Each structure stands twice: as C-alpha cells, then as structure tokens.
Amino acid sequence: MSDAMIWIGLVGLGLITVVTRGFFMIGDRPLPMPGWLRELLRVAPLAALMAVVAPEIFMTQGHAITTWQDARWPAALAATGYYFWRRGILGTILVGMAVMLPLKLGLGW
C-alpha cells in the first residue's frame, strides 16, 4: 500500500470522526430525543468497550478458553470487583493488570 493511500485513509477517517462527533453541536438548540435514546447513547461507549474486551477474556485464537489456568480470568474477576467497589475506570485497569502480569510473567499462565 502506498503512502498516499495511507494518508488518504487517515484524513478520511479523521473527517468522518469530526463530522459525526460535531453533528450534535451544529444546531443552536438541542435535538429532541426520546429518553430511551438518550440513555442508550449514554451507555454506548461502555457497550463498545465490552464488545472489544469480552472476546479477549473468553476466547483465545478463535476458540473458547477451556482451562482455569489463564491469567485473564482472575484479572477480569479482580478488575470487576474493584469496579463495583470504587467505580473508577483507571483503577479497574490497574487492578486487572496488577493481577494478570504476575500470573503471566511469574507463573507462566
């Protein structure tokens, strides 16, 4: 792939991002939306994050994980517990990594 094609793709993706994110700020008054749609838009980033993270936790190379000796399981449980305790995203990520790294590097899971 040529450098020009890469730059065209990057600029195009950037423009699409600016237009879609700025669409709601174009008007001088808020767009009328039903309450259910407003609620769905509020949780959409979390749903997108889960769509990326869940396959990483439950699958490896396209197949379901069949052993409990996988560092991702205890890390996901610890991170979930921390999130319900403190409700902080950064802490959730740090706790998950603090559990996963010793299991992966120390025990070779």
Side-chain angles (χ1 to χ4, degrees):
M1 190 179 295
S2 70
D3 288 343
M5 293 297 289
I6 292 172
W7 280 106
I8 290 170
L10 288 173
V11 169
L13 288 171
L15 287 173
I16 290 170
T17 301
V18 167
V19 168
T20 57
R21 295 209 178 232
F23 178 73
F24 294 105
M25 294 182 264
I26 292 172
D28 52 347
R29 61 183 174 83
L31 293 173
M33 266 188 250
W36 61 269
L37 180 59
R38 191 176 314 268
E39 182 65 22
L40 287 177
L41 289 174
R42 190 181 70 77
V43 297
L46 179 61
L49 182 61
M50 284 306 300
V52 171
V53 171
E56 276 299 313
I57 293 172
F58 298 113
M59 299 180 76
T60 182
Q61 296 180 0
H63 301 290
I65 296 172
T66 57
T67 179
W68 63 273
Q69 286 187 324
D70 192 306
R72 293 176 282 186
W73 286 87
L77 288 173
T80 301
Y82 178 86
Y83 179 77
F84 283 116
W85 178 49
R86 299 292 294 209
R87 300 280 185 197
I89 297 295
L90 180 60
T92 301
I93 294 169
L94 292 175
V95 166
M97 292 306 293
V99 170
M100 188 168 82
L101 284 177
L103 291 174
K104 211 154 185 62
L105 299 176
L107 298 178
W109 282 15

